[in-house]
Amino acid sequence: MDIKTPENKFQDVSYGEQEYKDLLQHLVEDVTKDRHHLSLFLGIYVPNKQKALKQLEDKLNKKVTIVDTAELVSRIESETYEKLDQFFADMHESDDILYFKNGDKLCGVYTSSSHSHVKYATPQERYFLEKVKSFSGLVIVDIEQFSDADKTLRRAAHSIVSFTLPKSKFKRAIWHLKNFSPHGFELKTTRPEAYGEAS
């Protein structure tokens, strides 16, 4: 059974738009109620993600703790559970904003056919969501590819914020240059239509 949230207002927010400003105001009011808020940061444009984190620190007067999700997730389920238990136990009294980078390490997997467009949550992902639900504060999961955020994760999220490349051709060109390597630049394109399937 998927973990669902009663909040639907901020399920399709674009960074920099009025809806994002509304979300910031909502978070200012919401974090004082001693309850959790799970937000997904989806997209590849890191500069705006960094700006968003700075805005959250300033607005909420809280520090951002950056966590590498890859260090918490193991191929062995029991090891992942132990690591998540220990991490959230250590953060129990924390008032920080938790920012999980490389959030795709938590995300679901494709099953049955290799041509499947639907991802299903892993046990580790569901366990993570249960831990988040009992954490009083703001938790952000950063995922670069929209299609990596499976249906269960989306339903659990109170807000989903998109960080797309800027409309400015100059800014886009600068970003591409910074992300170009001698071996070329490559974005994952596996099952891009899955984004629509998961919404």
Side-chain angles (χ1 to χ4, degrees), residues 144-158:
E144 289 189 353
Q145 301 302 317
F146 286 77
S147 58
D148 280 342
D150 61 66
K151 188 179 294 185
T152 298
L153 193 59
R154 289 173 180 276
R155 287 181 176 176
H158 295 81

Side-chain angles (χ1 to χ4, degrees), residues 40-56:
L40 304 185
F41 276 18
L42 306 182
I44 57 177
Y45 196 59
V46 174
N48 280 352
K49 287 182 179 179
Q50 293 172 337
K51 288 180 183 178
L53 289 181
K54 183 64 170 63
Q55 290 170 339
L56 287 168

Side-chain angles (χ1 to χ4, degrees), residues 49-180:
K49 287 182 179 179
Q50 293 172 337
K51 288 180 183 178
L53 289 181
K54 183 64 170 63
Q55 290 170 339
L56 287 168
E57 284 187 323
D58 294 342
K59 281 278 188 181
L60 303 180
N61 194 27
K62 295 177 183 290
K63 184 183 75 171
V64 171
T65 292
I66 299 176
V67 185
D68 188 350
T69 311
E71 295 180 357
L72 294 175
V73 177
S74 169
R75 290 185 178 182
I76 302 173
E77 289 181 18
S78 59
E79 288 185 3
T80 300
Y81 299 158
E82 289 177 8
K83 289 179 181 179
L84 289 174
D85 284 342
Q86 185 60 56
F87 174 80
F88 279 98
D90 291 343
M91 299 301 296
H92 180 66
E93 299 297 329
S94 173
D95 196 37
D96 292 357
I97 298 168
L98 302 184
Y99 186 79
F100 290 86
K101 67 178 184 178
N102 298 318
D104 58 292
K105 301 299 181 184
L106 275 168
C107 293
V109 294
Y110 297 105
T111 60
S112 301
S113 170
S114 61
H115 299 290
S116 172
H117 294 162
V118 180
K119 274 189 169 187
Y120 294 90
T122 62
Q124 292 95 323
E125 180 185 330
R126 291 177 181 276
Y127 195 77
F128 170 80
L129 292 176
E130 289 292 351
K131 288 294 182 182
V132 168
K133 192 174 181 181
S134 61
F135 178 81
S136 296
L138 175 58
V139 175
I140 301 170
V141 176
D142 178 16
I143 301 173
E144 289 189 353
Q145 301 302 317
F146 286 77
S147 58
D148 280 342
D150 61 66
K151 188 179 294 185
T152 298
L153 193 59
R154 289 173 180 276
R155 287 181 176 176
H158 295 81
S159 59
I160 302 175
V161 184
S162 298
F163 292 83
T164 55
L165 291 176
K167 295 179 180 178
S168 164
K169 291 183 179 179
F170 176 74
K171 287 184 178 181
R172 289 171 69 100
I174 293 297
W175 183 86
H176 281 292
L177 284 173
K178 286 182 178 180
N179 288 275
F180 182 82

